Amino acid sequence: MIHFPQECTNGSGSLCHQQTILVTGGAGFIGSHTTLQLLGEGYKVVVIDSLDNSVEESVKRVADLAGENGHNLYFFRVDLRDKDALEVVFSMTKFDAVIHFAGLKAVAESVAKPLFYYRNNMIGTINLLEVMAEHGCKKLVFSSSATVYGQPSSVPCTEDLPLSTTNPYGRTKLFVEEIARDLHIADPEWKIILLRYFNPVGAHPSGLIGEDPRGVPNNLMPFLQQVAVGRRKELTVFGTDYPTKDGTGVRDYIHVMDLATGHIAAVRKLFTPKEIGCTAYNLGTGKGTTVLEIVAAFERASGKKIPLRYADRRPGDCSEIYASTEKAERELQWKAVYTIDDMCRDQWNWASKNPWGYRHPDLANGNRT
Ligand code: NAD
Ligand code: UDP
C-alpha cells in the first residue's frame, strides 16, 4: 500500500521540486536520524519504508523534531521488492540522490532464512538501482557494514583490506558493493558512496527517536537497554577468553548522530563536480571498546546494575575490529565526535523515555509473521 500525504502533491500528482533526497528505510534506526539531519540541512526528503522492522511513528516524530522543516518530509509505505510501487514514487518527483538504508539486518535470521534475506536485500536493491537508472538518478549512498571485513587480518581496518564475510546478511552487503562497482564500470555517470558502518548505537539527544528492534535484539546495546528497563533478566556476555584487555570482544561503537552527519558529508560529496566513481568509506571512531567497558559505561549512565551471565563465544564473532577513519576524514571531511559516555547517556535517555520503543508493550516483542 502506498500512502500519499495530501500536502505532498502539487495538484497534478507530482511532488513540488527542490533538491530532494530519497531515503529508503528511513523509518528505521539510522534512517530516521539521518532524515532528521537532512531536513535540518534544508533538503526535501522522501522516505520509503516497508515498515518491516519499524513503525510510522518514527517518521512522525522526525517531522515533529524537524520543526518548520518537517513540512519537507514525505512518507510512502513501499516495499522495494514491489518494483511497480517504486516506479510510482519515481514518477512523482525527480530525486537528486538516494540514500539506501532499507534492508533486513539480523544475522541469525539471515542464516535461518537465506532466501528471504537474498530476496529482500538483493532483489530490493536491484529494483531500486534499475528504477534509479531509468529515471536518470545516478547518485547513491549505500549502507554497507564492517561485516564485509569478516575476520579482519589486521586492525584498524582500512578500506582496501580484502573483503569476506561469514553469513547471508554479510554476503548481501558484499554482493551489493560488488554490484555497485560493476554498475559504475558499466556506466561511469554513476556516483556511488559505500558507507561501512561499524557499531551504531545511541539515540537523538531528545530521546524521541532511537533503535526499536523487533523481537529479541541481536546486538549488544539494544539488549543491554532492555535489561536495564526490566524487559530482560540479564545480559549474556559472549566470550571471556578473547586476546583483549579483559577477555571480551572489542568493537568500534559509533553514535548514530555521528553516523547521520557522515551521510550528510557523503551526500555533499555526491554533489561535487568531482569524478568520485564508486568508493567506500568506514564510518567509525577508530577506537575499540570491550563488552565489559560498554556495560560499565551503561551502568554509569543509567544508574542501574546490569546482571551478567558469562557464556562461550558467539559463533562467527571476531575478537577485535575497529575502523581506520583516515579516508573519511581526508575525503569526506568528517570525523566522529561523540564519546562512549555520550552514546550510553543518549541510549539511556531514549530507553527510559520509551521502555517499549515506539510500540505498545503487547506488540513490542512481536516476531515477523
Ligand atoms: P533498521 O531495521 O532500523 O532500518 C532498516 C529499515 O529498512 C527498516 O525500517 C525496515 O522496515 C526497512 N526495510 C527492510 N526491508 C525493506 C524493503 N524490502 N523495502 C522497504 N523497506 C525495507 O536498521 P538500521 O540499523 O537503521 O540499518 C539501516 C541499514 O544499515 C541497513 O541496511 C543495515 O543492514 C545497515 N547497517 C546497520 C548496522 C547496525 O548495526 N544497525 C550496521 C551496519 C550496517
Ligand atoms: N555481545 C554480547 N552479548 C550480546 C550481544 C553481543 O556479549 O547479547 C557481544 C558480541 O559478542 C560482540 C559485541 O558484544 O563482542 C558486539 O556485538 P554486536 O552483535 O552488537 O555487534 P557485532 O558483533 O555484529 O559487531
Side-chain angles (χ1 to χ4, degrees):
M1 189 191 81
I2 302 179
H3 172 222
F4 296 91
Q6 273 305 304
E7 67 273 25
C8 155
T9 63
N10 63 10
S12 65
S14 308
L15 291 175
C16 312
H17 190 68
Q18 65 183 84
Q19 202 165 44
T20 305
I21 313 293
L22 177 69
V23 177
T24 77
F29 173 41
I30 307 169
S32 57
H33 289 77
T34 303
T35 295
L36 181 56
Q37 288 203 19
L38 286 167
L39 292 168
E41 293 287 320
Y43 293 99
K44 183 180 270 192
V45 182
V46 175
V47 164
I48 58 175
D49 200 299
S50 62
L51 303 182
D52 190 282
N53 194 38
S54 53
V55 289
E56 199 171 333
E57 176 65 18
S58 70
V59 184
K60 290 187 183 135
R61 292 194 191 180
V62 166
D64 289 346
L65 282 167
E68 269 191 13
N69 291 332
H71 66 265
N72 282 328
L73 174 61
Y74 308 100
F75 173 67
F76 301 91
R77 185 172 185 175
V78 168
D79 192 314
L80 293 184
R81 290 169 295 184
D82 182 352
K83 199 172 174 188
D84 292 343
L86 211 45
E87 287 280 2
V88 171
V89 173
F90 272 80
S91 65
M92 290 178 67
T93 193
K94 185 177 174 329
F95 293 111
D96 296 289
V98 174
I99 307 182
H100 177 31
F101 293 101
L104 300 174
K105 62 170 185 176
V107 171
E109 188 182 46
S110 81
V111 173
K113 300 179 186 172
L115 295 179
F116 181 55
Y117 266 64
Y118 286 126
R119 175 168 290 281
N120 194 78
N121 292 5
M122 302 301 306
I123 305 291
T125 300
I126 291 168
N127 283 345
L128 175 69
L129 295 173
E130 284 178 346
V131 176
M132 285 176 69
E134 280 160 26
H135 289 265
C137 174
K138 297 182 181 176
K139 293 188 180 67
L140 175 75
V141 177
F142 172 64
S143 297
S144 188
S145 167
T147 192
V148 299
Y149 295 118
Q151 308 272 354
S153 49
S154 61
V155 283
C157 297
T158 49
E159 286 82 351
D160 54 3
L161 280 186
L163 306 181
S164 73
T165 180
T166 54
N167 56 72
Y169 163 70
R171 274 185 275 281
T172 68
K173 294 298 176 197
L174 202 51
F175 294 161
V176 170
E177 283 206 4
E178 296 293 2
I179 289 172
R181 283 185 272 271
D182 287 340
L183 189 55
H184 177 259
I185 290 168
D187 178 356
E189 268 184 33
W190 278 87
K191 288 183 167 190
I192 304 177
I193 293 183
L194 310 168
L195 295 179
R196 295 180 182 153
Y197 314 151
F198 278 68
N199 290 63
V201 297
H204 188 267
S206 66
L208 287 176
I209 55 173
E211 185 170 17
D212 182 19
R214 184 192 291 272
V216 182
N218 296 276
N219 298 114
L220 177 63
M221 196 58 107
F223 203 102
L224 193 49
Q225 158 180 339
Q226 293 194 7
V227 176
V229 298
R231 285 172 64 176
R232 306 197 183 270
K233 187 162 81 38
E234 62 193 11
L235 174 76
T236 303
V237 177
F238 296 127
T240 53
D241 59 348
Y242 286 111
T244 60
K245 62 172 117 161
D246 60 22
T248 63
V250 166
R251 296 291 183 276
D252 184 343
Y253 297 92
I254 174 166
H255 199 300
V256 66
M257 297 295 289
D258 274 332
L259 264 192
T261 317
H263 288 77
I264 304 294
V267 166
R268 285 212 187 102
K269 182 145 183 106
L270 288 181
F271 290 131
T272 58
K274 278 191 195 146
E275 168 57 46
I276 60 166
C278 174
T279 186
Y281 295 98
N282 291 333
L283 294 187
T285 64
K287 296 186 190 80
T289 307
T290 68
V291 175
L292 293 181
E293 285 173 331
I294 289 288
V295 171
F298 196 86
E299 287 185 338
R300 281 197 300 277
S302 64
K304 304 266 178 191
K305 185 81 194 144
I306 304 294
L308 301 179
R309 186 172 75 83
Y310 294 96
D312 290 343
R313 295 180 179 193
R314 190 171 60 176
D317 269 4
C318 62
S319 160
E320 179 174 41
I321 180 165
Y322 54 93
S324 162
T325 58
E326 274 173 30
K327 189 178 175 197
E329 283 174 35
R330 196 175 56 243
E331 296 184 16
L332 296 178
Q333 286 83 48
W334 170 89
K335 189 173 168 44
V337 294
Y338 286 85
T339 65
I340 292 288
D341 285 330
D342 298 333
M343 299 176 209
C344 291
R345 175 199 63 212
D346 292 338
Q347 186 88 31
W348 175 243
N349 186 37
W350 153 251
S352 51
K353 288 184 174 151
N354 307 270
W356 295 92
Y358 295 111
R359 309 167 220 229
H360 186 275
D362 291 346
L363 301 174
N365 284 327
N367 289 315
R368 186 177 296 107
T369 49

